[in-house]
Amino acid sequence: PSADGQLTELVAYQLPFGRKWVHRLQVPPASLYNSGPMPMPLAGATGIVLAYTETPRVRGQVSVPRTILMLLDRESGAARDTMQLPAELGPAEVLDLESFGPNLWVAGQGGVLRRARK
């Protein structure tokens, strides 16, 4: 969590040098912890792909989880692209991320999504 607890910080470390960058997700940690573990990020030569499921906390209403796929720049941690995944794929904890050439494949419980590099 961030210092104020309102954001989730992703921290990249470059061994043996230490902390390289921090990316702050606009999601409170409590919204992530209710959804199960995130799959291992997929690291490429220039980017890192990660997926997470956010379950917003809203009093008196049913919260609908949403799963986000995010591409971060490997050197700076800046977000390059973000997309909401179809609900049929399921939560992030069941996703498998694979890269083949210019294609990213996201396999879930209800299908497979292919995303080509822009």
Side-chain angles (χ1 to χ4, degrees):
S2 60
D4 65 3
Q6 298 303 308
L7 305 174
T8 301
E9 293 184 343
L10 302 173
V11 182
Y13 287 89
Q14 184 175 5
L15 299 177
F17 305 107
R19 188 167 150 163
K20 186 170 184 175
W21 51 256
V22 176
H23 180 85
R24 288 169 182 84
L25 294 177
Q26 302 297 310
V27 179
S31 293
L32 296 175
Y33 295 142
N34 295 332
S35 303
M38 293 169 49
M40 289 297 294
L42 180 63
T46 61
I48 299 171
V49 177
L50 60 96
Y52 63 91
T53 298
E54 174 187 5
T55 306
R57 293 179 153 213
V58 181
R59 288 184 186 209
Q61 296 179 354
V62 176
S63 296
V64 178
R66 59 188 199 126
T67 301
I68 306 298
L69 186 71
M70 179 178 278
L71 173 62
L72 300 175
D73 182 81
R74 188 172 176 143
E75 288 302 312
S76 68
R80 284 197 210 154
D81 196 10
T82 303
M83 73 176 284
Q84 184 170 337
L85 294 175
E88 307 84 64
L89 292 177
E93 66 186 33
V94 302
L95 298 179
D96 184 29
L97 308 174
E98 296 291 336
S99 176
F100 298 106
N103 296 305
L104 170 67
W105 295 86
V106 181
Q109 63 190 16
V112 176
L113 174 82
R114 181 183 69 89
R115 177 93 188 234
R117 185 178 302 153
K118 292 180 180 178

